[in-house]
Each structure stands twice: as structure tokens, then as C-alpha cells.
Amino acid sequence: DLPLVIISEDAEALFAARDICADGQPLIYPITQQNIDTAIPKIKEKPTPVGVRAESVEGLVSLTTKLKASGIDDLVLDPGSKTMLEAIRDQTLIRRATLKQTFRPLGYPTMAFPCFMVRDNPLKEMLIASLYVNKYAGIIVLSNLDPNHMLPLLVQRLNIYTDPRFPMAVEEKYYEIGEPNEESPVLMTSNWALTYFVVSSAIESTKIPTFLLVQDAEGLGILTGWAAGKISGSTIAKLVKNCGIEERVKHRQLVLPGRIARISGATMEALDWKWEVTVGVREATAIGAFLPKYAKELKGKIAAGKAVPE
């Protein structure tokens, strides 16, 4: 079920292999200046995606024009780059010609072959692949899919290709940091990714198992989310009631970030006074000093039977 690219310099072998698995719509590669005339009738017999290769960007133009005139439009371009410098140059020229000049003969996705640009050097192959992730390649063909090499590429791709209209955010729910139990502290923050990772890292460094409630603020930070009306006593109360945290802890103690101390009373009211709210620190850097002391006080309240407001 995985995508298939059939590669052969022998046109007869290429199309013979295509015929075996044509139903799976494999991409056949390469169609070049040398084989295009014989390839066009065979492509039209059983249409599948076509990888077009030339020795330069200019060479691609005549090939795509001829294929387009023959009614073949499902194309992927390979400008034949042999070095990293050529790769940057060629991919940039194709992208600029298409978007800025509306040059239709180059208006197709591109593909790249780091596996052919370097041999027996997986690290360098991944470095070249990372260049193509940045520089517009739609398909990158690798010699292996070792998880140790693929993970950095996938993380890089996710970091680059995000919608700039929306801040990076995490899911609204409670997160377990360490292995919290029914007596563990419950802290709250917003779902802006940067806030979440900074706060969760600060909690993790204390070695104190904790539940971290993450409020959906549409990717805004704590103070900005409050100012925009995304975080309020009622929204925090709704999160507490709906996320399932009440089934995980036997106390009713919640810590709010210090920057929204002013809504602590509204939060307790929205929770029908069944939770006690403590105002925590204003900066994540202070969690290391605050949390151990708070966790000790919480255990004392639980032992004394004072962890649930009457």
C-alpha cells in the first residue's frame, strides 16, 4: 500500500514493470529526452504519474511542453541536480519561475534523489534530504528508512510546513508528567505550544509527578489568552469538569498561573466552590522552587482531611 516509484534507465523494463502494477498508480521514472517519443504512447495506454528528468531546468521545459501537448499532465520534475549547490539553484529557479512568472511548463511538483547524489554515507544523505525539505522538493527518494534518520527529517518538515495563520498549539486535556497519583498536584496552563513545553519541562525537572491541565486558548499564551477572552473562570471550570481530572485525584486543589491571579475567585465560583484555587508563580522558571513546597503542603492537607473545600 506504500507509494511506489519505478526506476529504470531501460524504457522497456520500465514499462514492463509499470504494466504489472499499473492499478497501483506507480510513478515511472525517468522520462528523458532520449526516450520521450517512445514513452508517450505507452504512457497514454495506461496513464500513471511520470517523473521527468533533464540535465538542467531549461531541459525540462521542452519535455513538459511535449508531454502536455500529448495530454499527459500528471508530472513530477527532476532537474538532474548533482550537487547541493545545484539543488538549491534548480529548485529555487523552478519555484520562482512558477510562482512569480507564472511559467506553466515548470508548474509541477519536483522530486529529488539524495540516494543518487551520495553513496554509502547515510548521514550525508539525510543532510541533503534536509536541504530538499527546506527547498521545495515534493518527493524525496532515500536509500533507507532508518527511524534514526527519518525522525529528524519528519520533525523538520512539521516545524516548517505549518499554517502561519494559526499559532502552534497542543490538545486541550490533562497531561500526566511523571507518574502522578490521586494525591498529585494539579496545575493549569494554556495550550500555546511554547508555554506548554516550557511549563511541562519545568515541572518534569522537579521530579514531582503532576497533572497539568491545558486550556484551549487558540494557541495564545496565558496573559494574552485571558486578555482575548479565551481564558476565564468559566472556561477553566468547564475544562476541570469535562477533562476527567476529578476522577483522577481525591483532592480539589488547583494551581493557576500567577499572571491570571485576578480570576482565581471567578474560577472557584464557576466550580461551585468545590475546588480551592491557589495562585502559583508568574514565570515557569520559578516552578522549581514553588512546586516541591506546594506538593508537601498538599500532602499535609490531604492527610488532615482539608484538601476538599466544605
Side-chain angles (χ1 to χ4, degrees), residues 236-237 240-241 254 266-275 277:
I236 296 172
V240 171
K241 293 175 181 178
L254 174 65
T267 302
M268 287 191 288
E269 183 178 2
L271 286 166
D272 302 320
W273 305 102
K274 295 179 180 179
W275 282 72
V277 173

Side-chain angles (χ1 to χ4, degrees), residues 15 18 35-47 67 70 72:
F15 285 101
R18 187 279 311 269
N35 65 17
I36 187 170
D37 292 327
T38 57
I40 287 176
K42 295 182 179 180
I43 295 170
K44 296 176 74 172
E45 284 177 11
K46 296 181 180 179
L67 289 165
S70 300
I72 301 169

Side-chain angles (χ1 to χ4, degrees), residues 13 77 89 200 216 225 232 250 264 272:
L77 309 184
R89 179 198 64 195
S200 61
D216 182 6
S232 64
K250 64 181 181 181
S264 58
D272 302 320

Side-chain angles (χ1 to χ4, degrees), residues 14 33 74 96 123 153 175 190 212 219 228 273 275 293 302:
L14 181 66
Q33 191 68 48
D74 194 357
R96 286 181 177 175
L123 179 58
L153 287 179
Y175 291 81
S190 80
L212 180 60
W273 305 102
W275 282 72
K293 181 180 178 181
I302 293 172

